């Protein structure tokens, strides 16, 4: 940037400085600061204005306090050398207080403190971009899920494919999320990233010990969520896993099987490598699905399995305890050695957040309907959906009435036109069923039945958790 222009900017009112500097990318800001460190004072004093400008570059991301609380939590954890429970002096007490503060977040609570640095701005920018990219990919999974012989519908699908897979942007079409669904999904993606930031182990042990052995702390986090938020977190996990399933031609073999709307109940765990990859978080998952030079819809099963087996060899995790195990323990009569459940800490309600769409401070229409004893017709339709697809990939926890009606309309049209309306987790254009060789190799490389070996939670830690959170 020209030095005379920089001097002119520096002599301008602070509002003008923020407006001009806010148009620069974080990388460009870094270059400017190298030669003009005096601008760092502007960034420090007007930090929240720069954060808002980053949000404005992702216009579909709401800028309300509920979303910002989650963003600040994630960024503050990424800026810390260790998660709160890993505090060498007083980990359990530190983490219990963190959980207590997290569970009391509201419009009236202070935002978590984050460093007023370019690194923090960069993390926020990358986080929002990752969320938006996943919203697009989940939308794309809806677009390709409904069979149709309508040329216009197929053209719409191709446009969506180009926008999402090639250009990494969301595309508005007949399967786009409603405003309420969109808000719920973005919030759930941020909750998922927060969970990953807390509990992903970046250096899995290769000496026979399990990775992510923090089941107790994971359970406490899950118990701190309102039940409907936990249901939505469970749903977003299934939706992301379904996308990876399609992208890597896994045919659901190493994927977990979950009962929609009942997080943690009757779960069959997935492969340990797939769960470990899931634990790496949204940004890393985007890189994982973008690493292959050939788009997933153009390579065959043999090439796909080679790529996935290579991942299994590279990551080589031992044990499967990132998400399925702690979620199952939350609702199981058997509590593992390293598990703790505090029934009194589960929040029963949530205050309304200003700026959040109506009906997003509680369960979705579909959840409310399904658990309403007075419902009959819609409850039967939802039950039929769950029976058809026990994998939870469709994210039923987010559905509003319009999407349910549209789903049955599209499947009825498919039935009338002679197309198989059954929902498949994986719908490939090369083959329709995995070969025996394919199945055997996937099970061999990423056994879905691998458990983990628990480490006993010290009595002193359990006592601290119960005294602070009980």
């Amino acid at each position: 940037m020209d030095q005379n222009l920089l001097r002119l900017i520096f002599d301008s009112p602070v509002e003008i400085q923020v407006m001009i500097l806010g148009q620069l990318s974080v990388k460009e800001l870094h270059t400017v600061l190298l030669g003009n460190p005096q601008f760092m004072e502007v960034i420090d004093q007007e930090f929240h204005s720069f954060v808002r400008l980053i949000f404005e570059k992702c216009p579909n991301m709401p800028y309300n306090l509920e979303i910002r609380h989650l963003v600040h939590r994630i960024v503050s954890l990424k800026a810390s050398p260790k998660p709160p429970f890993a505090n060498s002096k007083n980990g359990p007490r530190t983490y219990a207080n963190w959980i207590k503060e997290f569970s009391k977040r509201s419009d009236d609570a202070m935002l978590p403190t984050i460093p007023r640095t370019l690194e923090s701005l960069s993390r926020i920018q990358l986080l929002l971009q990752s969320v938006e990219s996943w919203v697009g990919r989940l939308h794309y999974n809806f677009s390709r899920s409904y069979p149709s012989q309508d040329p216009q519908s197929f053209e719409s699908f191709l446009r969506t494919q180009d926008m999402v897979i090639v250009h990494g942007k969301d595309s508005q079409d007949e399967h786009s999320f409603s405003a309420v669904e969109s808000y719920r999904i973005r919030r759930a993606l941020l909750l998922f990233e927060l969970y990953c930031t807390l509990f992903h182990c970046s250096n899995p042990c290769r000496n026979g010990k399990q990775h992510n052995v923090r089941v107790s702390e994971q359970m406490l986090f899950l118990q701190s969520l309102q039940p409907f938020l936990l249901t939505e977190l469970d749903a977003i996990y299934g939706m992301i896993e379904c996308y990876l399933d399609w992208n890597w031609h896994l045919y659901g073999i190493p994927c977990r099987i979950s009962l929609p709307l009942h997080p943690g109940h009757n779960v069959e765990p997935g492969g340990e490598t797939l769960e470990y990859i899931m634990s790496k978080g949204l940004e890393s998952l985007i890189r994982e699905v973008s690493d292959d030079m050939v788009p997933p819809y153009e390579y065959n099963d043999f090439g796909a399995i080679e790529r996935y087996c290579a991942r299994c060899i590279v990551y080589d995790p031992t044990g499967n305890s990132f998400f399925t195990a702690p979620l199952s323990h939350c609702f199981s009569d058997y509590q593992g050695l390293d598990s703790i459940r505090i029934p009194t800490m589960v929040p029963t309600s949530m205050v309304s957040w200003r700026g959040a769409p109506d009906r997003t401070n509680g369960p979705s229409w579909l959840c409310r309907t399904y658990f309403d004893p007075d419902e009959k017709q819609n409850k039967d339709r939802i039950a039929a959906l769950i029976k058809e697809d026990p994998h939870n990939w469709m994210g039923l926890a987010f559905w509003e009435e319009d999407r349910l009606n549209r789903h049955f309309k599209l499947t009825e049209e498919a039935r009338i036109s002679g197309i198989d309306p059954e929902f498949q987790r994986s719908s490939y254009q090369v083959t329709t069923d995995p070969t025996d060789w394919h199945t055997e190799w996937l099970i061999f490389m990423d056994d879905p039945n691998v458990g983990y070996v628990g480490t006993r939670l010290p009595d002193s830690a359990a006592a601290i958790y119960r005294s602070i959170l009980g």
Side-chain angles (χ1 to χ4, degrees), residues 423-441:
F423 271 72
Q424 302 289 336
R425 288 199 83 217
S426 309
S427 176
Y428 311 121
Q429 297 171 345
V430 180
T431 59
T432 55
D433 293 296
T435 63
D436 291 341
W437 172 87
H438 190 128
T439 302
E440 290 170 4
W441 259 106

Side-chain angles (χ1 to χ4, degrees), residues 400-417:
E400 294 299 304
E401 185 175 11
D402 179 70
R403 184 167 297 281
L404 184 78
N405 292 332
R406 178 158 187 75
H407 166 80
F408 281 100
K409 178 177 182 293
L410 288 168
T411 52
E412 178 65 15
E413 289 174 353
R415 187 188 65 78
I416 291 172
S417 63

Side-chain angles (χ1 to χ4, degrees), residues 181-251:
E181 291 170 335
S182 173
Y183 185 86
R184 290 182 185 280
I185 288 170
R186 284 176 169 83
R187 177 176 60 193
L189 284 166
L190 288 171
L191 275 174
F192 175 76
E193 180 67 11
L194 178 59
Y195 186 82
C196 292
T197 305
L198 271 170
F199 300 116
H200 170 68
C201 178
S202 58
N203 296 305
C205 300
R206 296 174 184 269
N207 58 359
K209 294 182 180 179
Q210 67 282 7
H211 74 279
N212 291 332
V213 189
R214 287 291 183 179
V215 171
S216 302
E217 285 78 10
Q218 291 163 344
M219 286 178 63
L220 291 176
F221 178 87
L222 296 173
Q223 290 173 72
S224 74
L225 299 175
Q226 284 78 12
F228 82 92
L229 287 181
L230 182 59
T231 302
E232 292 179 0
L233 175 61
D234 181 60
I236 210 70
Y237 186 98
M239 291 174 76
I240 294 173
E241 190 184 51
C242 174
Y243 181 84
L244 299 181
D245 176 37
W246 167 77
N247 198 82
W248 293 338
H249 293 211
L250 300 179
Y251 287 99

Side-chain angles (χ1 to χ4, degrees), residues 350-361:
M350 186 169 78
V351 296
S352 296
W353 290 87
R354 291 187 294 272
D358 290 341
R359 308 187 307 279
T360 57
N361 289 289

Side-chain angles (χ1 to χ4, degrees), residues 140-147 157 393-394 422-424 427:
Y140 172 70
N141 247 22
F142 270 107
S143 295
R144 67 170 192 81
S145 297
Y146 295 98
F157 166 76
W393 75 265
M394 290 184 295
E422 181 181 355
F423 271 72
Q424 302 289 336
S427 176

